[in-house]
């Protein structure tokens, strides 16, 4: 197994589904359209959706290369049948434990219910465990967001602690559910294929 200093910029999962780094300039029009069409779907759970604007989207996409270079965030466009349908990534936040990365994701509502996020998250977990020093991957979501919680359950993550959090989006409960998957053997370890 070869270790990767950083995740690969393109992860082709099959002929239809690819994760790839965003091209800040070229992807902006399609990214704006996908986000705008998804706002009703995202607003209950994603605080940034309430503040969405073309300027903020431009700044977000423009900042991704620096975040990638710093190792703070490895953000991908989710491309299904040639169309951008969402975003996912591996992130380090202030509360992310040492030796861990957090998987985050969102999809256009038309792409949900087809296993896209589950497949993308699985690929990100595999990518994370190819990076030196990464021993644990987490998925963190509001416990009321059942769709987000179904993904780590399907991938064999272990439901861990719940911790208080400020409710910043309309449907948030003020609590976060942390799921974890470890590289090492034991409960919550990467399942054998």
């Amino acid at each position: 197994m070869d270790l990767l200093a950083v995740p690969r910029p393109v992860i082709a999962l099959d002929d239809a589904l690819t994760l790839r780094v965003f091209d800040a300039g070229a992807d902006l029009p399609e990214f704006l359209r996908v986000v705008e069409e998804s706002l009703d779907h995202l607003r209950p759970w994603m605080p940034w959706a309430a503040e969405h604007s073309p300027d903020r989207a431009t700044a977000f996409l423009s900042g991704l290369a620096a975040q990638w270079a710093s190792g703070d965030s490895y953000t991908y466009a989710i491309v299904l049948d040639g169309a951008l349908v969402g975003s996912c990534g591996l992130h380090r936040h202030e509360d992310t434990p040492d030796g861990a990365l957090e998987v985050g994701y969102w999809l256009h509502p038309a792409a949900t219910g087809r296993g896209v996020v589950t497949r993308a998250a699985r690929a990100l977990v595999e990518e994370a465990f190819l990076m030196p020093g990464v021993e644990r991957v987490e998925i963190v979501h509001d416990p009321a967001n059942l769709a987000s919680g179904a993904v780590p359950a399907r991938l064999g993550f272990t439901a861990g602690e719940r911790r208080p959090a400020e409710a910043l989006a309309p449907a948030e409960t003020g609590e976060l559910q942390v799921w974890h998957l470890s590289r090492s053997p034991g409960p919550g370890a990467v399942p054998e294929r």
Side-chain angles (χ1 to χ4, degrees), residues 7-60:
R8 295 173 289 160
V10 177
I11 305 169
L13 301 177
D14 56 38
D15 290 341
L17 183 60
T18 300
L19 310 180
R20 63 163 176 79
V21 295
F22 280 95
D23 179 322
D27 285 332
L28 181 61
E30 190 173 13
F31 180 75
L32 282 170
R33 180 189 58 75
V34 170
V35 170
E36 288 166 8
E37 290 176 2
S38 303
L39 285 175
D40 289 343
H41 174 72
L42 298 173
R43 219 176 255 119
W45 308 111
M46 304 287 187
W48 59 264
E51 300 173 355
H52 168 71
S53 70
D55 288 343
R56 285 184 181 265
T58 301
F60 169 75

Side-chain angles (χ1 to χ4, degrees), residues 90-175:
L90 293 166
H91 312 285
R92 287 185 176 95
H93 301 290
E94 289 177 9
D95 58 353
T96 305
D98 290 341
L101 288 171
E102 181 181 324
V103 173
Y105 40 80
W106 66 267
L107 274 183
H108 186 287
T112 62
R114 299 164 52 185
V116 172
V117 162
T118 300
R119 290 165 46 211
R122 178 181 293 117
L124 291 178
V125 168
E126 291 170 358
E127 206 72 7
F129 286 138
L130 290 175
M131 297 173 63
V134 177
E135 295 298 326
R136 175 178 164 131
V137 175
E138 296 183 338
I139 294 178
V140 180
H141 66 91
D142 191 285
N145 188 341
L146 301 179
S148 281
V151 173
R154 282 193 291 270
L155 294 177
F157 279 64
T158 299
E161 73 275 9
R162 286 191 178 191
R163 61 180 184 236
E166 184 179 357
L168 299 173
E172 289 183 329
T173 63
E175 191 174 42

Side-chain angles (χ1 to χ4, degrees), residues 55-88:
D55 288 343
R56 285 184 181 265
T58 301
F60 169 75
L61 290 179
S62 296
L64 292 179
Q67 290 181 6
W68 192 286
S70 72
D72 289 336
S73 185
Y74 305 104
T75 302
Y76 292 88
I78 301 174
V79 179
L80 181 64
D81 296 323
L84 195 153
V85 296
S87 180
C88 63

